[in-house]
Amino acid sequence: MELSEAESHFLETQRDFAQNALLSWFASHARRLPWRENRSPYQVWVSEIMLQQTQVETVQSYFQRFIERFPTPKALATAPLEAVLKLWEGLGYYSRARALHRAAQQVLERHQGRLPADPETLRTLPGIGPYTAGAIASLAFNIPVPAVDGNVRRVLARALALNDPAPGQLESIVRSWLPDQNPGAFNEALMELGALVCRPRRPQCTACPWRELCRAYALGQPERFPAAKARKPLPHYDVVAAVTIRENRQILVAQRRPEDMLGGLWEFPGGKRQEGESLEAALRRELQEEMGITVEVETQIEVVRHAYTHFRITLYAYQCRLIAGEPQCIECADFKWATLEDLRALPMAVTDRRIAHTVERRLSTEEG
Ligand code: ADE
């Protein structure tokens, strides 16, 4: 994207200062993070996928476990998807894990098990968009391409006092400032500046290496840039789930279909309550539709509230008893009668994991 003459002039006159100030700040302030220690392209890739929607603090321990269990693209590609989802449990946005697994298989089949360096080729892999392709190409292979994530967008919008910069505009800005020598460090330093100093609220301008060039700082209102987007309130749904226990303390669980949200994860079967329906009636209907069984709804055992990206739910879990029919998968990928030990090993979303803990507690106190 073409920048205005005034913008180009500003970028050109500030280039040397922007590069030197940012790189020397990064050299002394970069956090020690597991994916920054003698990293391979594969480690950069895994960390960037995990960091897409998740905070650095949360990602660290997940990253270490993941790399220990799947140290190479080949190890990842040849593992069962369920093992990958299990290590991802609690990180959320599970489509990232499914895409990463498929991408590892493509890396093995099409690229001899080595991640390609070229951003265009990287973008052909599942789960790799423009940001992640730029991040891998620059951080892992030192190719001078932009990598603009939310942190970088905020830093640049403030530096140039832009209200609502377009992605192409931000990429042009980075391109004009990227040093030939060390583009990876420059991109990563920009992310770090956004995370540590140029934070969304109460930015630490006194600690900022770019204070002298920053237009938002000069205007005295760094927080005003970029302009906040109006957020609609999230819709809310009541969801019901059945904990159906048969003899030998086996519990009915179902696996979600791969193409659905939370695909591949295991859950206590159930679904959304419809308008005008009671929770109990919703549960009986869902078990009939999803698994072809008739259940009696006994007692409520847990209520879990959770917010996803586009909606919120309240999940009501009930102990149920199977009174007619044999479970079958009508609207699920698989089902099983799981022991408590099985339950612990299955990949589940956080909401269902909460219910599983409650079930475990109840069954062990029953025993005692
Ligand atoms: N966010 C995205 N990539 C990152 C990285 N390499 N270090 C810190 N935060 C990040």
Side-chain angles (χ1 to χ4, degrees):
M1 177 169 167
E2 284 283 309
L3 298 171
S4 72
E5 214 161 294
E7 275 172 344
S8 300
H9 178 72
F10 173 81
L11 292 168
E12 216 166 294
T13 54
Q14 299 293 333
R15 179 185 300 126
D16 285 348
F17 173 78
Q19 292 177 350
N20 295 333
L22 184 64
L23 288 171
S24 60
W25 173 84
F26 189 55
S28 53
H29 291 81
R31 285 167 293 179
R32 287 195 62 184
L33 299 171
W35 51 89
R36 290 181 180 170
E37 319 257 321
N38 49 46
R39 62 184 166 201
S40 64
Y42 171 66
Q43 296 195 1
V44 172
W45 177 28
V46 171
S47 66
E48 287 301 334
I49 299 295
M50 288 186 170
L51 287 161
Q52 276 170 6
Q53 273 111 345
T54 313
Q55 301 277 331
V56 165
E57 276 63 40
T58 312
V59 166
Q60 297 196 46
S61 60
Y62 279 89
F63 174 81
Q64 279 169 318
R65 280 193 299 269
F66 198 93
I67 294 295
E68 270 166 38
R69 173 78 168 73
F70 310 119
T72 60
K74 185 175 179 190
L76 177 58
T78 52
L81 175 62
E82 268 193 55
V84 180
L85 289 171
K86 184 66 192 170
L87 275 192
W88 211 270
E89 188 177 295
L91 262 189
Y93 301 95
Y94 298 89
S95 61
R96 294 183 295 176
R98 295 192 299 273
L100 184 60
H101 186 239
R102 267 185 288 129
Q105 293 170 340
Q106 293 186 11
V107 166
L108 199 61
E109 285 159 20
R110 301 179 194 167
H111 305 284
Q112 296 79 46
R114 279 194 302 276
L115 202 57
D118 164 49
E120 295 300 313
T121 315
L122 284 166
R123 285 202 57 180
T124 64
L125 295 167
I128 299 190
Y131 162 74
T132 306
I136 298 172
S138 63
L139 303 198
F141 298 106
N142 250 332
I143 293 175
V145 285
V148 179
D149 68 358
N151 279 336
V152 175
R153 176 175 190 270
R154 184 174 61 257
V155 171
L156 298 174
R158 286 177 180 167
L160 282 87
L162 306 169
N163 276 313
D164 187 17
Q169 188 180 8
L170 294 165
E171 289 180 0
S172 298
I173 294 167
V174 175
R175 250 186 237 107
S176 85
W177 275 355
L178 263 184
D180 297 328
Q181 281 305 310
N182 207 347
F186 185 85
N187 278 339
E188 199 166 20
L190 269 178
M191 298 169 197
E192 197 76 343
L193 190 64
L196 298 182
V197 173
C198 196
R199 297 198 299 242
R201 273 173 297 280
R202 290 192 286 114
Q204 309 290 299
C205 299
T206 52
C208 183
W210 275 7
R211 193 179 40 187
E212 287 162 55
L213 70 72
C214 182
R215 289 180 162 169
Y217 177 74
L219 292 168
Q221 297 177 303
E223 283 191 40
R224 242 194 61 206
F225 302 94
K229 296 200 169 116
R231 279 199 198 165
K232 283 198 213 126
L234 300 179
H236 174 270
Y237 306 107
D238 284 329
V239 178
V240 287
V243 175
T244 310
I245 306 176
R246 71 172 184 189
E247 65 278 10
N248 301 329
R249 306 207 297 183
Q250 291 180 323
I251 306 144
L252 182 63
V253 286
Q255 187 177 35
R256 296 177 65 93
R257 291 177 292 200
E259 65 277 16
D260 290 349
M261 181 182 167
L262 306 173
L265 296 179
W266 289 81
E267 65 178 10
F268 298 97
K272 259 188 228 169
R273 181 177 70 85
Q274 294 174 353
E275 204 153 314
E277 199 177 31
S278 70
L279 293 167
E280 291 83 353
L283 199 48
R284 286 191 295 270
R285 175 183 53 72
E286 284 287 345
L287 273 104
Q288 197 61 250
E289 287 173 5
E290 191 178 321
M291 316 212 61
I293 56 174
T294 308
V295 294
E296 184 178 301
V297 179
E298 295 179 334
T299 45
Q300 194 178 89
I301 59 174
E302 178 73 278
V303 180
V304 185
R305 279 168 245 280
H306 190 72
Y308 292 101
T309 314
H310 299 294
F311 59 93
R312 294 176 302 123
I313 62 164
T314 306
L315 175 62
Y316 299 88
Y318 285 88
Q319 183 163 318
C320 296
R321 203 163 55 83
L322 177 60
I323 52 179
E326 273 297 316
Q328 48 182 308
C329 263
I330 305 171
E331 292 175 359
C332 54
D334 197 3
F335 79 90
K336 65 173 88 181
W337 288 100
T339 62
L340 286 178
E341 198 181 341
D342 295 334
L343 273 192
R344 274 179 237 128
L346 294 172
M348 288 186 148
V350 281
T351 46
D352 290 78
R353 182 55 65 202
R354 277 268 297 279
I355 299 171
H357 281 310
T358 302
V359 172
E360 187 155 349
R361 235 183 9 253
R362 287 170 71 97
L363 287 181
S364 47
T365 48
E366 245 174 49
E367 180 189 49

